[in-house]
């Protein structure tokens, strides 16, 4: 009986040692877990020469088309949270619609560009997924400063990002009369109270440092 117990104990000890050795070997050859990657904020820098603001406003006589030039722009956003920042600056004084007398009145009486020479947009949040390798559609929320006043704005954006370059189009409406800008209508011509805007954009894309 004593001999049998000795054999049983010896077998148990050998088995335990073998199991421990196997566990140690398995731990030694297990590949290390990949480090968790954190997406860096994306920076979109505007090429002013390749970007343009187009506007359209309906009247009782005709539809007025015009453009504004872009001074500068740099926007950054977090692809995971959608939180955005930066600023786009537009030359308000560059506005033209193809009619010199109409444009003179627009600058002098409506937009008062001698006093308010720039308009700015400061993005705060992106709603939707922005693809960094293909086309995507999403919304951008932010604050539009026009004629000296800040106004909440949501733009529908289509973008294409590839090879360190990007291009896109943002569309939004400006209810300028509701924003406190003078109504250009007169007894002969009635102007709709909303301007439709299309912002064509282009530039370079990089990760924030």
């Amino acid at each position: 009986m004593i001999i049998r117990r000795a054999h049983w104990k010896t077998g148990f000890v050998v088995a335990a040692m073998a199991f421990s050795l196997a566990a140690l070997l398995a731990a030694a050859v297990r590949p290390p877990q990949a480090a968790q990657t954190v997406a860096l904020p994306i920076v979109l820098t505007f090429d002013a020469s390749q970007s343009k603001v187009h506007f359209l406003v309906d009247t009782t006589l005709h539809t007025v088309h015009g453009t504004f030039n872009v001074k500068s722009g740099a926007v950054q956003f977090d692809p995971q949270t959608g939180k955005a920042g930066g600023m786009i600056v537009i030359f308000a004084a560059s506005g033209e619609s193809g009619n010199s007398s109409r444009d003179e009145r627009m600058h002098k009486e409506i937009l008062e560009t001698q006093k308010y020479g720039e308009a700015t947009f400061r993005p705060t949040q992106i709603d939707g997924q922005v693809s960094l390798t293909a086309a995507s559609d999403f919304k951008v929320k932010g604050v539009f400063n026009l004629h000296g006043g800040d106004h909440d704005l949501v733009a529908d954006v289509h973008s294409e990002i590839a090879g360190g370059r990007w291009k896109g189009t943002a569309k939004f409406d400006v209810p300028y009369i509701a924003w406190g800008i003078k109504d250009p209508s007169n007894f002969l011509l009635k102007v709709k109270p909303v301007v439709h805007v299309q912002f064509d954009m282009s530039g370079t894309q990089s990760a924030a440092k």
Side-chain angles (χ1 to χ4, degrees), residues 24-180:
L24 288 173
L25 289 174
V29 299
R30 184 181 302 157
Q33 293 183 348
Q36 185 176 4
T37 58
V38 178
L40 293 174
I42 300 301
V43 178
L44 303 179
T45 303
F46 286 64
D47 182 343
S49 65
Q50 299 295 318
S51 303
K52 182 80 71 173
V53 177
H54 302 267
F55 69 88
L56 180 154
V57 59
D58 291 317
T59 75
T60 52
L61 296 180
H62 50 257
T63 298
V64 177
H65 300 263
T67 61
F68 289 92
N69 295 331
V70 177
K71 180 179 180 180
S72 62
V75 172
Q76 71 175 41
F77 65 94
D78 187 322
Q80 295 179 337
T81 66
K83 185 177 180 180
M87 180 180 290
I88 304 165
V89 183
I90 300 165
F91 276 125
S94 69
E96 64 89 19
S97 66
N99 183 301
S100 58
S101 60
R102 180 172 57 209
D103 293 343
E104 182 179 0
R105 182 167 182 250
M106 175 178 66
H107 289 295
K108 184 178 181 180
E109 301 179 20
I110 311 304
L111 294 180
E112 299 181 277
T113 55
Q114 287 186 341
K115 183 178 180 180
Y116 307 106
E118 295 178 347
T120 63
F121 179 67
R122 303 188 302 275
T124 57
Q125 183 69 35
I126 292 177
D127 287 343
Q129 189 66 40
V130 182
S131 173
L132 302 182
T133 57
S136 54
D137 296 280
F138 48 91
K139 293 183 181 296
V140 177
K141 297 178 179 179
V143 178
F144 190 31
N145 182 280
L146 179 66
H147 198 252
D150 283 343
H151 307 279
D152 292 334
L153 183 71
V154 179
D156 293 313
V157 179
H158 174 84
S159 75
E160 298 177 23
I161 302 175
R165 297 286 304 178
W166 70 277
K167 62 180 179 179
T169 300
K171 295 182 178 181
F172 56 92
D173 290 338
V174 174
Y176 65 98
I177 295 177
W179 286 3

